[in-house]
Amino acid sequence: MTVRRRPFVLLALMGLMAVMLPSPVAAVEEGTVGRVTVERVSGTSRISTAIAVSAEAFPTADTVVISRADQFADALVGAVVAAENDAPILLVDSTSTPTEVLEEITRLGATEAVVLGGTGAVSESAAAAISDLGVTVRRIAGTSRFDTAARAAAEASDTSRVFVANGGNFPDALSVAPYAAFLGNPIVLANAASLPQETADLLRTLAPDEIVVIGGTAAVDNAVFGELGALAGSIRRIAGISRWDTSAQVFDEAVGAGMSSSSRWLATGVNFPDALAAGPAVVAAGASFLLVPGDGLGAAPEVAPRLAADYCELDHLVLPGGPGAIT
């Protein structure tokens, strides 16, 4: 298996005091903790935060990936699609594309936009506004979130390993998204107690060497785990006792596979938009990723050691999202 290591993008140094952002899109300097610089990359909304993340990690991009801002269903596998195309993820309203998004597409110099989901997710009028820039628009869309994820797997460069996450909730899929994107492995979706036909059909076609289920039995139960095991050479779980523990365990494996231990992005695990946009940016920036509670690490004791361990290696933290997302 070939592991792609993308170049680091120079990131501005930031600090720790939570402040109100002076403009709709900004990277804010907040200070240092010891030798660790802390940077907040944020906007005044989830849409403008995604733009700020794009501006931080992507000086230019030939391609952008477009996702609906208010639902996660079609976008859970977006980080892999974006990273395979060296693209940021930008968020739009379901029925329109905000002017600020069109301006970011122009700044990037993109000539292609990949829309995640059908017209019920991102309308034709929203896509047409992007097309009017002279950008070629194509969709990855199926009849369901499971079908869309299966179709998105065609973008992955290495299907010898496939990650499987619960399609009815977002934390586990978002935890693994930067790691899967780093490796070039697809993410597909399952229900907690049933394996969708679209997912099973894809896995039969791919016949991967390994399936890695993200999350415990509440996310993907043992019966589904057994069905999945019959479709691959081997199967295993990465699972903790909470979303935070699962994220921490994914982080450990990702760093072991070559993702950076010195630069870490932290996104709130209680909502999806900031972590969604962060996925491909983490890969482009040569960093690693953890989900955190928005109001402190007391609820995530499994994550806290990943911010203290190897302290001499940790020198940079990036927080996508404003103080309302991560205080």
Side-chain angles (χ1 to χ4, degrees):
M1 180 184 68
T2 300
V3 176
R4 297 161 307 144
R5 287 171 172 77
R6 299 173 186 269
F8 282 79
V9 175
L10 293 178
L11 301 174
L13 301 182
M14 301 289 172
L16 269 184
M17 278 186 60
V19 297
M20 295 303 294
L21 298 178
S23 64
V25 176
V28 178
E29 182 172 351
E30 294 185 354
T32 62
V33 180
R35 57 171 287 156
V36 181
T37 60
V38 182
E39 176 181 8
R40 187 185 293 279
V41 181
S42 183
T44 57
S45 67
R46 60 184 60 186
I47 289 174
S48 59
T49 291
I51 292 170
V53 169
S54 171
E56 178 77 353
F58 295 91
T60 62
D62 293 334
T63 301
V64 294
V65 172
I66 303 297
S67 173
R68 180 173 176 170
D70 61 343
Q71 292 185 9
F72 61 82
D74 292 317
L76 287 178
V77 299
V80 176
V81 175
E84 290 292 347
N85 289 279
D86 296 310
I89 292 178
L90 297 174
L91 305 180
V92 300
D93 297 319
S94 178
T95 58
S96 64
T97 299
T99 299
E100 60 188 321
V101 176
L102 299 175
E103 291 171 348
E104 177 63 6
I105 293 171
T106 300
R107 182 197 69 79
L108 289 163
T111 57
E112 179 188 50
V114 181
V115 176
L116 300 174
T119 56
V122 178
S123 70
E124 289 289 6
S125 60
I130 298 171
S131 181
D132 288 344
L133 297 175
V135 174
T136 299
V137 176
R138 67 181 174 95
R139 285 186 187 267
I140 298 176
T143 57
S144 67
R145 67 188 65 187
F146 307 103
D147 191 18
T148 295
R151 292 169 186 260
E155 304 280 319
S157 59
D158 181 0
T159 57
S160 64
R161 177 192 288 120
V162 176
F163 292 98
V164 178
N166 186 298
N169 207 346
F170 56 83
D172 294 337
L174 293 180
S175 282
V176 81
Y179 179 37
F182 173 78
L183 296 173
N185 297 151
I187 302 170
V188 297
L189 304 177
N191 293 310
S194 64
L195 182 62
Q197 191 64 48
E198 302 93 334
T199 302
D201 289 345
L202 174 72
L203 291 171
R204 289 189 186 96
T205 299
L206 295 180
D209 296 333
E210 181 182 47
I211 288 175
V212 183
V213 174
I214 307 301
T217 55
V220 177
D221 71 18
N222 284 330
V224 175
F225 187 86
E227 290 184 66
L228 290 166
L231 300 173
S234 65
I235 187 169
R236 62 187 173 94
R237 286 186 192 267
I238 302 177
I241 60 174
S242 66
R243 66 185 64 185
W244 321 116
D245 191 13
T246 296
S247 178
Q249 294 193 37
V250 170
F251 169 85
D252 289 346
E253 181 168 321
V255 169
M259 296 189 80
S260 173
S261 62
S262 62
S263 179
R264 307 175 192 184
W265 287 49
L266 313 179
T268 176
V270 297
N271 208 341
F272 71 91
D274 297 340
L276 175 67
V282 167
V283 180
S288 55
F289 179 77
L290 283 161
L291 289 180
V292 296
D295 58 358
L297 293 176
E302 305 86 3
V303 171
R306 274 71 178 183
L307 300 178
D310 301 320
Y311 183 76
C312 291
E313 293 183 19
L314 175 60
D315 56 30
H316 188 204
L317 294 176
V318 180
L319 313 179
I326 299 178
T327 62

